[in-house]
């Protein structure tokens, strides 16, 4: 590629990457996973189709990266949970932030659209677990293991179950719009989860 | 109506009612809440449109009754949870049955179709809570209140939160196909919930 040799390539590449990820999320919201096409993403992001294919092998790959980026830090360093040594405080900070994000219509819209596709497509659900939910859950479990070592969580707790008890009520409330997503609610879920799996 | 005077009317009415509810569930699975029409339900159930309108005021009303019937006893006596005096045993019996139902592709199919509509339609979600989820949750909370009186559950527990911690992980696992829906899993959810909200 001729622009590989240009100065400021790295910053320009990062701008293109972000534009592609944003266009992808917007288009999944608007037209759905099935209908969105690489051509449409390229046009919306103002890049050539080849730019997308240089970085991602398939439509599925760019879509999952677009959603994974929502879970990552602004520096793009992947998902890491805070570890101050106090599992209750750390989980409350994380769950309050999650509740606030899901209560934000602009933030939640593409995620709702993606969930809608996953619910109807077992193959896409499997990809979602492998590429997106799996790595995010692994980062959360890393923090839970630290709490187990600190004696703040039962050493024999099933960490998949811990994550489900902690997050599934929030997911259900959000998805079915069955109740408010407040900081108090986030705190109550952390309290219930830590009581359920105390050492 | 001329057939009101016929013998065996009650049994025939019940047969028609069941045929209508079954046809409704099948059609919601096949074509979705938005597309299903009273005419199509009547044709599938082998009854006249007027028979449906005699018993239900609207399409929404017959659809929610069709799904509510899935939660009711075979005698149609409404939702009642067992109360043997042992909350752990009773919840495990109920949650194992729920897990087995949701693991059954034929049983879960219309419920998945309905959830799919609810997720995208806040108005329908509100109706769902009022007509379907609300009454079922009330029956479950009745059993939890009995456990509170028996000292098996914290007297100040938020019963909506208790139900979310108990059921939302199962709902999420089923909806996203993220894990097996086994009796062991049902038991683990009951154990976690009772630990979280013990007196």
């Amino acid at each position: 590629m001729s622009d590989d040799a240009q100065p400021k390539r790295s910053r320009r590449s990062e701008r293109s990457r972000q534009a592609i990820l944003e266009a992808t999320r917007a288009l999944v919201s608007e037209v759905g996973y099935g209908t969105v096409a690489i051509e449409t993403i390229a046009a919306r992001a103002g890049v050539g189709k080849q730019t997308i294919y240089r970085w991602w092998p398939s439509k599925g790959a760019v879509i999952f990266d677009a959603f994974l980026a929502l879970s990552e830090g602004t520096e793009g360093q992947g998902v890491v949970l805070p570890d101050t040594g106090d599992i209750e405080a750390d989980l409350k900070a994380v769950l309050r932030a999650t509740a606030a994000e899901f209560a934000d219509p602009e933030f939640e819209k593409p995620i709702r659209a993606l969930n809608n596709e996953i619910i109807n497509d077992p193959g896409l659900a499997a990809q979602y677990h492998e590429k997106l939910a799996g790595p995010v859950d692994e980062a959360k479990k890393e923090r839970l293991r630290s709490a187990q070592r600190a004696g703040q969580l039962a050493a024999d707790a099933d960490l998949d179950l811990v994550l489900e008890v902690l997050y599934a009520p929030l997911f259900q409330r959000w998805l079915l719009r069955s109740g408010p997503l407040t900081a108090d609610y986030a705190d109550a879920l952390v309290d219930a989860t830590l009581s359920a799996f105390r050492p």
Side-chain angles (χ1 to χ4, degrees), chain A residues 130-165:
Chain A
E130 188 195 326
K131 306 253 173 72
L132 219 167
V136 173
D137 282 354
E138 194 44 52
K140 293 171 182 168
K141 283 192 249 182
E142 204 44 63
R143 179 64 190 88
L144 297 180
R145 281 186 206 105
S146 164
Q148 286 178 312
R149 288 189 296 269
Q152 298 173 343
L153 196 68
D156 63 349
D158 173 343
L159 298 187
D160 287 304
L161 187 65
V162 175
L163 287 183
E164 287 183 327
V165 169

Side-chain angles (χ1 to χ4, degrees), chain A residues 39-105:
Chain A
E39 288 79 1
T40 331
I41 296 172
R44 173 80 68 105
V47 302
K49 226 172 91 171
Q50 285 315 312
T51 304
I52 298 185
Y53 281 122
R54 205 181 341 156
W55 290 327
W56 292 279
S58 67
K59 183 177 96 170
V62 65
I63 289 179
F64 284 116
D65 263 10
F67 284 92
L68 190 57
L70 284 180
S71 308
E72 288 179 352
T74 45
E75 308 300 310
Q77 83 281 38
V79 183
V80 180
L81 262 62
D83 193 346
T84 67
D86 178 345
I87 186 69
E88 183 185 331
D90 290 350
L91 288 183
K92 284 183 177 174
V94 169
L95 218 64
R96 282 173 177 219
T98 303
E101 284 171 348
F102 280 83
D104 173 354

Side-chain angles (χ1 to χ4, degrees), chain A residues 103-123:
Chain A
D104 173 354
E106 279 314 299
F107 182 92
E108 69 98 84
K109 201 177 158 197
I111 306 175
R112 185 173 296 273
L114 183 66
N115 269 281
N116 214 54
E117 312 260 0
I118 288 166
I119 290 162
N120 293 307
D121 184 339

